[in-house]
Amino acid sequence: MPQTLVAGVGNIFFGDDGFGPEVARALQREPPQDAKVEDFGIRGLHLGYELLNGYERAILIDAVPRGGAPGTLYVIEPDVSVPSGAPDAHRMDLQNVFAFVRMLGGAAPPITIVGCEPESTEEGIGLSPAVAGAVDAGAALVRRLVETAQSVHERREERETTWSEV
């Protein structure tokens, strides 16, 4: 089983909110080694269940408005332990997904969000030029994060082997 889940999230019918699915599609052409890459779109319940499948780490890709210039990429380490109330099966936002995972009695693996500052999330299909221009850089960033997570995992396995042999 892959160690890392890479999940594109967002609604392709709302402009730049389709950033996550677009980056996931780019990564699926040549997936990072030992990672499962999937476009979850707005399927929050499916993402919640998938997070419970024993991954070492999950990288979620999404449009994230934080006030920067459109196309700006962010790496965010969210606190998924903060309670956010009861999950709503009809809502797809990451806090809702994390609440669903907790409701199922599980715990998500460590999460990293690769976010992109949207220009517009108004109704319409297609990314703005600034966000479309960030897709390749977003895919490259995800690849680096997957490689870093794998090297940390390998070093930890090495230490565990060394300690068990003593």
Side-chain angles (χ1 to χ4, degrees), residues 133-153:
V135 169
D136 287 340
L141 177 56
V142 168
R143 286 183 189 288
R144 283 194 307 273
L145 291 169
V146 169
E147 289 170 10
T148 300
Q150 289 171 348
S151 67
V152 167
H153 178 75

Side-chain angles (χ1 to χ4, degrees), residues 85-142:
D88 177 354
H90 301 287
R91 211 176 83 219
M92 171 46 173
D93 62 67
L94 295 179
Q95 288 303 321
N96 191 55
V97 171
F98 302 147
F100 180 67
V101 168
R102 282 190 302 277
M103 182 193 80
L104 291 173
I111 302 279
T112 300
I113 298 172
V114 171
C116 181
E117 184 73 43
E119 183 173 313
S120 172
T121 55
E122 298 296 317
E123 191 172 322
I125 297 176
L127 302 176
S128 67
V131 173
V135 169
D136 287 340
L141 177 56
V142 168

Side-chain angles (χ1 to χ4, degrees), residues 39 81 159 162:
D39 169 10
S81 65
R159 283 193 310 267
T162 305

Side-chain angles (χ1 to χ4, degrees), residues 9-166:
V9 297
N11 190 333
I12 64 168
F13 297 111
F14 287 96
D16 291 339
D17 197 43
F19 175 76
E22 191 62 34
V23 172
R25 281 193 289 280
L27 288 166
Q28 285 173 330
R29 290 190 278 276
E30 192 176 322
Q33 184 179 15
D34 208 19
K36 176 181 181 178
V37 178
E38 187 167 338
D39 169 10
F40 281 88
I42 57 171
R43 298 177 298 124
L45 293 177
H46 293 106
L47 175 57
Y49 279 116
E50 190 66 29
L51 286 169
L52 295 172
N53 279 339
Y55 295 98
E56 292 285 325
R57 166 157 297 287
I59 299 172
L60 311 181
I61 312 157
D62 198 4
V64 180
R66 296 177 69 98
T72 300
L73 295 176
Y74 306 106
V75 176
I76 304 163
E77 303 288 336
D79 183 358
V80 299
S81 65
V82 176
S84 61
D88 177 354
H90 301 287
R91 211 176 83 219
M92 171 46 173
D93 62 67
L94 295 179
Q95 288 303 321
N96 191 55
V97 171
F98 302 147
F100 180 67
V101 168
R102 282 190 302 277
M103 182 193 80
L104 291 173
I111 302 279
T112 300
I113 298 172
V114 171
C116 181
E117 184 73 43
E119 183 173 313
S120 172
T121 55
E122 298 296 317
E123 191 172 322
I125 297 176
L127 302 176
S128 67
V131 173
V135 169
D136 287 340
L141 177 56
V142 168
R143 286 183 189 288
R144 283 194 307 273
L145 291 169
V146 169
E147 289 170 10
T148 300
Q150 289 171 348
S151 67
V152 167
H153 178 75
E154 289 167 5
R155 285 193 306 268
R156 186 175 62 234
E157 280 185 339
E158 239 175 58
R159 283 193 310 267
E160 289 172 358
T161 302
T162 305
W163 280 103
S164 66
E165 292 173 353
V166 173

